[in-house]
Amino acid sequence: MSSSRQTSLWWDVLITSIGPVLWGTTYIVTTEILPPGRPFTAAVLRIVPAGLILILYTRLFPPRKEWGRMLILAALNLGFFQAMLFVAAYRLPGGLASVVGAIQPLLIMGIVWAADRIQPARLALWAAIMGVVGMGALLLSPGSVWDPIGVAAAAAGALSMSFGTCLTRRWSTSLPMLAFTGWQLFIAGLMIAPFALLFDPPLRSVTLLQASGYAYLSLGGALLAYFLWFRGVARLSPVAVSSLNLISPVTAVVLGWALLGQSIKGMSMVGLVAVLASILLVQWASSRRMP
């Protein structure tokens, strides 16, 4: 691969990683700013306005032949994934949910191997395993409770986004990336809205600070983050993109240390270094295989 192409790939990695960094800020904004006990409402207010803004800006509709694929991608990448994420969050400690979700690069390697008969690079495989182990050292506490339903939900969410990432890469679309992102956000928000109506208490009033929190999550954590994410899915290998997801819980841990005084020491520090090394090794191994 030429040096210019290699440089371009690493720029794509850097730009795509901004999405998981923004997702990693969700935890501290949700716990410190948003009204408590309304996870599905937060998800709807996060992605529906962002989707509408992009749809109104682009004023483009998916062609009739692409609507089926759009519904499937919206469900896998956002709708079903978000629902399973919230189920896992309520039934598992945050660390355990993140460790289960860290298997996503391994899942994508298996999907690509089964669908395209492409064996994963040995270095990428071991680096992905190191990422799971490092995430465990970083986030798991000795008393973590392995609730079966919560673990199943976290695994189902990781599998959902894995298939969504692979299909997004495989299925071409005639829409520009902004419109493609907007429609997925809007459709997924409509899928989650019934859960907000059924399970969340009504959101009767919000303060200016809470409204600014919702606005940040919508404009930064959804509109910008998912646009950069889908842009990366179109340019990088599925395994490389999925490994960048590990940046999200790492960001949450670093913000907790910097802003809330939470400690990172001992095995947690070892885990943090292992996760970052895993991400870099997966990117390097995947870049060597890119045409």
Side-chain angles (χ1 to χ4, degrees), residues 215-233:
Y216 167 77
L217 290 181
S218 182
L219 298 177
L223 190 155
L224 178 59
Y226 275 104
F227 167 70
L228 296 178
W229 180 256
F230 289 130
R231 175 189 179 277
V233 170

Side-chain angles (χ1 to χ4, degrees), residues 23-108:
W23 294 335
T25 66
T26 299
Y27 176 78
I28 195 166
V29 172
T30 301
T31 57
E32 302 300 315
I33 296 178
L34 298 188
R38 294 171 177 85
F40 294 111
T41 300
V44 172
L45 293 178
R46 178 185 184 184
I47 62 179
V48 168
L52 279 175
I53 290 172
L54 292 177
I55 291 171
L56 293 174
Y57 175 75
T58 58
R59 298 181 182 180
L60 295 173
F61 285 78
R64 182 178 302 177
K65 64 180 181 180
E66 293 185 16
W67 270 105
R69 292 182 174 183
M70 185 66 71
L71 291 171
I72 293 172
L73 291 177
L76 292 175
N77 286 322
L78 286 157
F80 182 77
F81 169 72
Q82 290 282 336
M84 292 297 99
L85 184 68
F86 285 125
V87 171
Y90 269 94
R91 303 187 70 99
L92 295 175
L96 181 53
S98 296
V99 172
V100 176
I103 65 173
Q104 188 176 327
L106 296 173
L107 292 175
I108 288 185

